[in-house]
Amino acid sequence: MPARSTDPLVGFSFSLDISGAVAGYFTEVSGLSSETEVVEHKITDPSGRDIIQKIPGRTKYGDITLKRGITATMDMWTWRKQVEDGNVGGARKNATITMYDQSLTPIAKWNLTNVWPTKISGPSMQSDGNNFGVEELTITHEMMVREQ
């Protein structure tokens, strides 16, 4: 039976494309969020009652965390090193996060503006386990638009 347009999308994997070069495929992405601050304005209505008017304030976007099995690829670590060395301007890039289904068909995309890495973590190491190592990248950005 074919999927309906109202069926929830099932994410199998995710890619991060930074300014045209795929930086990696990830098994977990969190923090894709947009929030508008609420400004409370105290006023008195025409009948003399004190009320609080709620006015939209600034929009802010959540930091995004991506996780994947560690690989020999160093591009994310090199990107983070730019920030550590004080070159945040050079590290800022536009990016796209794409969600794929099990047949690797793109099913959702988020375009991000002025992305830069705020944190990178290597795997927790344990010699008596058989789990693969996971590296984690946290990025921040100034704007997000869901394209698909």
Side-chain angles (χ1 to χ4, degrees):
M1 177 188 294
R4 300 169 299 200
S5 63
T6 57
D7 287 345
L9 300 176
V10 177
F12 180 71
S13 67
F14 308 87
S15 69
L16 174 65
D17 180 317
I18 302 169
S19 296
V22 174
Y25 290 90
F26 298 83
T27 55
E28 187 177 332
V29 175
S30 61
L32 290 165
S33 65
S34 168
E35 177 182 350
T36 301
E37 296 173 345
V38 176
V39 177
E40 293 187 352
H41 183 222
K42 296 175 184 175
I43 62 170
T44 304
D45 71 7
S47 64
R49 289 183 306 164
D50 290 332
I51 60 173
I52 296 176
Q53 220 176 25
K54 300 209 177 194
I55 303 167
R58 294 177 291 206
T59 298
K60 60 183 179 178
Y61 301 93
D63 289 348
I64 299 169
T65 301
L66 304 104
K67 295 181 183 180
R68 71 173 183 186
I70 193 165
T71 67
T73 306
M74 296 291 295
D75 54 356
M76 292 188 318
W77 293 86
T78 303
W79 188 32
R80 173 66 189 143
K81 183 80 168 97
Q82 281 185 288
V83 175
E84 293 170 356
D85 292 344
N87 186 10
V88 178
R92 286 183 195 272
K93 308 282 183 200
N94 292 332
T96 300
I97 294 176
T98 304
M99 183 169 85
Y100 299 90
D101 65 11
Q102 292 176 335
S103 66
L104 299 180
T105 302
I107 55 176
K109 284 186 179 182
W110 292 265
N111 294 319
L112 311 170
T113 304
N114 289 329
V115 178
W116 56 277
T118 61
K119 179 181 176 183
I120 193 162
S121 304
S124 297
M125 297 179 221
Q126 187 177 357
S127 63
D128 63 349
N130 61 356
N131 298 332
F132 62 88
V134 175
E135 62 184 352
E136 186 176 307
L137 176 69
T138 302
I139 58 176
T140 193
H141 58 98
E142 296 173 0
M143 187 175 178
M144 174 180 67
V145 176
R146 179 160 175 201
E147 175 185 314
Q148 175 182 355

